[in-house]
Amino acid sequence: MESIYKLKRINPIAKVLIIVVIGLIIFYLLSSLFYSQATAKRGYDSDLKEHIKYAIADKGYSALYSFMGKLYEIFESVICIAILEALMVIATWLLTAKFITMVAKETDFFMGALFALPIVFLCAIAVPILYPKFYSGQLVTQPYHNITFYGMRLFALIAMMCLYKVFDNYLHKIKPAYWIAIALSLALSTSVKPSFFYGFALTLLIFLIIDFFKSIFKKEFKLGTLGHIILMGVVVFPSLYIMAKQVIHLFGPKEVARAASQSSGIAIAWGKPFLKAGIFTNVARLVCGMTFPTLVAFNNRKKLNRFEKFSYLMFFVQILVFAMLTETGKRANHGNFYWGVYSAGFFAFLAAVPRFLDNIRLFKEDKSKKGYLIAGFILLIAHMICSIMYFAMVQRGYSYLI
């Protein structure tokens, strides 16, 4: 398996050409899919047409709608919206590749780009007969029908890349450029869709509280330490302001003024989304979606850095948010708290795949890991196959609710 690193020996020009070809193929497939959704062609179920209506009418809570509206004014065609969404996914792919090169040692951009594909197009493993689902009922999947998710995820990725740069050493030093980058990209992500922010902010709060008490118990507490903890915490303030405006827009006076049957709100669900699904479904979707990152985390439990721990914890925080909160009124069946789970699943794999690549690189030094590496490789291939199958079906006009 360590022969994977022989990919580095490929001619640099050939590497560039391969990445360009892959990018062009992805762009064509995605833009054609999104255009079919935007024009509401038969079978291409999607929220995109409704999002475009909001954009043209300059309504809705998402900042992405404003940008989409401006594009439509200029080009007077929905093709520009389809191209925008495709470009957001491709940008996420290239940034994911960059992140892998930052984390996995001896991994060049070409290898990063190849291993970024199963992360960016991530789909849970659909188990024939037992749990043959690609989207409906899964916790790890691709919401191809929702453009705001892809905008949110792109800026969330930038925020997490910057967090990786500072999180290990933030108690001693925080570079202003990275702090600003985290705050700005997090705010942009929230302005598009706030779902990622819920889990990020709560997970960050947990880490900051733990760091505060650790520094006291280790007798390392100083005013500077407290200052850095506070500074790291206030990185979420711009996003909190944006989210407050979104809440007012969605659930504020204008909504209250409408008929009671049409009004919306947020209520405590007390775990009903999970209880309603049943034990089998809950176990199946966790096994289908999270076996690979769980396997990687367990086998590297003594080596995990703070970013990896943050990413794994954020997934379970988003699960908790999904289980405990629900929308009421006309938005009750929109499943909006799923978006945070989907984005957290993406980051769990973003933490797991580079670590797994490092494990492969070190295989010669530790042959005892052979069984784990084979199992991990099989799982990753299974995710890739299911991702391709799901995308192919959606591309052909099947409902995304497969």
Side-chain angles (χ1 to χ4, degrees):
M1 280 181 288
E2 67 269 25
S3 60
I4 288 172
Y5 279 83
K6 291 181 180 178
L7 290 169
K8 293 174 66 177
R9 301 175 187 173
I10 296 175
N11 184 281
I13 296 176
K15 289 180 181 179
V16 173
L17 289 175
I18 291 171
I19 290 175
V20 169
V21 169
I22 291 173
L24 289 174
I25 292 171
I26 293 172
F27 175 75
Y28 171 76
L29 293 174
L30 287 174
S31 57
S32 62
L33 168 63
F34 298 141
Y35 181 72
S36 296
Q37 292 177 343
T39 53
K41 287 188 176 181
R42 186 176 173 183
Y44 289 89
D45 298 333
S46 172
D47 307 332
L48 186 54
K49 192 173 182 181
E50 186 175 358
H51 286 311
I52 292 172
K53 284 182 180 178
Y54 281 131
I56 294 172
D58 197 22
K59 294 181 179 179
Y61 69 89
S62 177
L64 184 60
Y65 293 155
S66 299
F67 188 67
M68 289 164 60
K70 296 296 182 185
L71 281 178
Y72 190 83
E73 282 182 17
I74 296 170
F75 296 100
E76 297 183 346
S77 172
V78 294
I79 187 64
C80 62
I81 308 299
I83 290 173
L84 170 66
E85 190 169 3
L87 289 175
M88 288 193 298
V89 177
I90 289 173
T92 302
W93 168 50
L94 295 175
L95 284 173
T96 301
K98 176 61 179 176
F99 180 82
I100 291 174
T101 63
M102 287 165 49
V103 179
K105 295 177 182 178
E106 297 184 23
T107 303
D108 62 6
F109 188 81
F110 177 69
M111 284 183 63
L114 295 181
F115 280 92
L117 288 171
I119 305 176
V120 174
F121 292 92
L122 179 63
C123 178
I125 299 171
V127 182
I129 302 174
L130 289 176
Y131 204 68
K133 298 177 183 291
F134 293 103
Y135 182 93
S136 182
Q138 292 286 14
L139 299 174
V140 176
T141 189
Q142 288 301 308
Y144 288 113
H145 59 102
N146 194 277
I147 188 173
T148 52
F149 172 83
Y150 290 113
M152 174 193 75
R153 187 177 69 170
L154 173 59
F155 291 113
L157 174 57
I158 298 171
M160 290 291 279
M161 290 174 72
C162 295
L163 182 72
Y164 171 79
K165 285 287 191 179
V166 302
F167 207 39
D168 275 340
N169 200 43
Y170 86 94
L171 288 174
H172 305 288
K173 184 179 181 180
I174 301 176
K175 290 185 178 180
Y178 285 126
W179 188 95
I180 293 169
I182 295 171
L184 181 59
S185 53
L186 187 61
L188 288 170
S189 175
T190 306
S191 71
V192 174
K193 186 185 280 291
S195 308
F196 167 77
F197 176 72
Y198 307 147
F200 179 92
L202 289 171
T203 306
L204 181 62
L205 178 62
I206 292 169
F207 269 82
L208 295 181
I209 292 171
I210 291 172
D211 289 341
F212 174 76
F213 284 107
K214 269 187 176 180
S215 65
I216 292 176
F217 293 143
K218 290 182 178 180
K219 297 181 180 180
E220 296 176 354
F221 183 78
K222 301 176 183 177
L223 284 178
T225 303
L226 179 61
H228 283 149
I229 290 173
I230 293 172
L231 183 61
M232 199 69 214
V234 299
V235 78
V236 305
F237 279 18
S239 296
L240 283 172
Y241 172 74
I242 291 169
M243 192 172 72
K245 292 186 69 175
Q246 291 171 334
V247 168
I248 292 171
H249 179 87
L250 290 171
F251 310 119
K254 290 182 180 179
E255 284 287 331
V256 173
R258 297 180 184 180
S261 62
Q262 293 294 312
S263 63
S264 300
I266 296 177
I268 303 295
W270 300 114
K272 288 180 181 178
F274 270 88
L275 295 173
K276 185 179 179 181
I279 294 175
F280 174 79
T281 296
N282 288 324
V283 172
R285 57 190 180 181
L286 282 170
V287 170
C288 291
M290 293 301 291
T291 299
F292 174 77
T294 302
L295 182 69
V296 174
F298 179 78
N299 279 274
N300 294 276
R301 56 193 179 278
K302 295 181 180 179
K303 304 176 186 175
L304 297 179
N305 59 43
R306 286 170 60 84
F307 175 85
E308 290 168 313
K309 293 175 182 177
F310 186 98
S311 299
Y312 292 133
L313 178 60
M314 185 167 65
F315 179 81
F316 290 103
V317 169
Q318 289 284 21
I319 288 284
L320 185 62
V321 171
F322 164 70
M324 295 302 294
L325 297 178
T326 186
E327 288 184 299
T328 60
K330 67 175 185 176
R331 296 169 60 88
N333 297 316
H334 288 191
N336 284 312
F337 286 108
Y338 263 117
W339 309 124
V341 179
Y342 297 156
S343 64
F346 167 81
F347 288 111
F349 273 76
L350 186 63
V353 169
R355 175 65 69 177
F356 186 68
L357 286 173
D358 259 348
N359 294 154
I360 293 173
R361 179 179 61 84
L362 297 172
F363 176 61
K364 286 183 179 179
E365 300 173 14
D366 187 1
K367 297 289 185 178
S368 66
K369 296 286 187 180
K370 185 176 181 180
Y372 148 65
L373 292 174
I374 291 173
F377 208 70
I378 290 171
L379 286 168
L380 198 56
I381 290 173
H383 278 289
M384 292 173 66
I385 292 171
C386 290
S387 299
I388 292 169
M389 289 175 65
Y390 181 48
F391 180 73
M393 294 174 79
V394 174
Q395 178 77 24
R396 288 161 55 199
Y398 283 77
S399 170
Y400 64 88
L401 286 168
I402 302 171

